[in-house]
């Protein structure tokens, strides 16, 4: 089972995934947590190229390809082998981030982008995607307060708003794959919701526990 987590800046994915993974392991599920861009040594190197604030001259096409290069390595080196051995993977961002940010955010040709995504993933798609949904302004304020500012955070508000609307469009196009969780609530309330929605989607494993 391949579960991805998506959302705009400051939605809390990165804080929510570790306790969620720990809880699912405690319940007896073989869970691994990972993130994009990253999840492999090569992916982490690409991540630093992408988020180095000195790289502000990076062209959008370069950025798109670097995200896909990190993803291709992640899929082949980490995700597919672990799925094949029966693991449940919780992944902090995946291809929907490219669709939302590079596609809707930058207003690029979505069909062209889709071909590049397919090339990078080899057609791998999440079984379930959770959108931690939050007003863009609230998330950016959270990010600013925690000091976790990166190159993409510095883009205008409208870019992030387009990305959020993009997520909503993606969700409407594939409602069975997506679950939306309201991220504008206390962390423990969001965590409880995440545990519940994921456990509900793991019927085949619930007997193991
Ligand atoms: P995060 O580690 O805080 O989630 O930040 C990753 C940043 O990278 C975030 O601004 C979203 C962006 N991103 C893309 O624009 N496209 C992608 O394909 C991925 C994986 C991330």
């Amino acid at each position: 089972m391949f579960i991805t987590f998506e959302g705009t800046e400051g939605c809390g994915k990165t804080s929510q995934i570790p306790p969620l993974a720990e809880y699912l392991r405690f319940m007896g599920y073989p869970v691994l947590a990972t993130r994009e861009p990253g999840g492999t040594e090569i992916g982490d190197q690409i991540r630093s190229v992408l988020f180095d604030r000195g790289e502000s001259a990076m062209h959008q096409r370069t950025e798109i390809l670097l995200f896909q290069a990190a993803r291709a390595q992640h899929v082949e080196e980490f995700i597919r082998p672990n799925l094949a051995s029966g693991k449940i993977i919780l992944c902090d961002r995946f291809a929907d981030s490219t669709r939302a940010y590079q596609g809707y955010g930058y207003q690029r040709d979505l069909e062209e982008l889709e071909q590049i995504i397919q090339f990078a993933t080899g057609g791998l798609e999440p079984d379930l995607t959770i959108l931690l949904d939050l007003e863009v302004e609230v998330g950016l304020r959270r990010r600013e307060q925690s000091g976790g500012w990166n190159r993409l955070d510095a883009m205008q508000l409208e870019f992030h708003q387009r990305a959020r609307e993009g997520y909503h469009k993606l969700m409407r196009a594939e409602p069975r794959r997506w679950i939306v969780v309201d991220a504008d609530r206390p962390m423990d309330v969001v965590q409880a919701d995440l545990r519940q929605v994921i456990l509900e989607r793991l019927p085949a494993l619930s007997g193991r526990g």
Side-chain angles (χ1 to χ4, degrees), residues 99-118:
R99 296 181 179 112
Y101 284 81
Q102 281 70 48
Y104 289 98
Y106 289 153
Q107 299 175 296
R108 296 194 66 94
D109 182 333
L110 296 176
E111 279 180 27
E112 188 181 60
L113 202 57
E114 202 54 45
Q115 287 179 8
I116 305 168
I117 290 172
Q118 290 303 315

Side-chain angles (χ1 to χ4, degrees), residues 9 13-14 36-37 47 51 63 67-68 71 92-94 97-98 101-102 143 150 152-153:
E9 310 306 300
K13 291 177 286 85
T14 310
E36 290 209 348
R47 185 180 177 98
F51 299 144
E63 179 185 308
F67 278 120
Q68 307 324 301
R71 180 162 300 138
D92 185 344
R93 299 196 180 281
F94 192 63
S97 285
T98 295
Y101 284 81
Q102 281 70 48
R143 260 293 159 94
N150 66 34
L152 288 175
D153 294 336

Side-chain angles (χ1 to χ4, degrees), residues 96-152:
D96 295 305
S97 285
T98 295
R99 296 181 179 112
Y101 284 81
Q102 281 70 48
Y104 289 98
Y106 289 153
Q107 299 175 296
R108 296 194 66 94
D109 182 333
L110 296 176
E111 279 180 27
E112 188 181 60
L113 202 57
E114 202 54 45
Q115 287 179 8
I116 305 168
I117 290 172
Q118 290 303 315
F119 181 74
T121 60
L124 179 69
E125 281 170 17
D127 300 297
L128 173 65
T129 300
I130 296 181
L131 176 66
L132 284 162
D133 194 40
L134 180 72
E135 289 285 336
V136 162
E137 292 90 336
V138 176
L140 287 173
R141 225 175 295 128
R142 276 189 191 171
R143 260 293 159 94
E144 199 171 14
Q145 280 159 4
S146 71
W149 200 247
N150 66 34
R151 194 174 61 80
L152 288 175

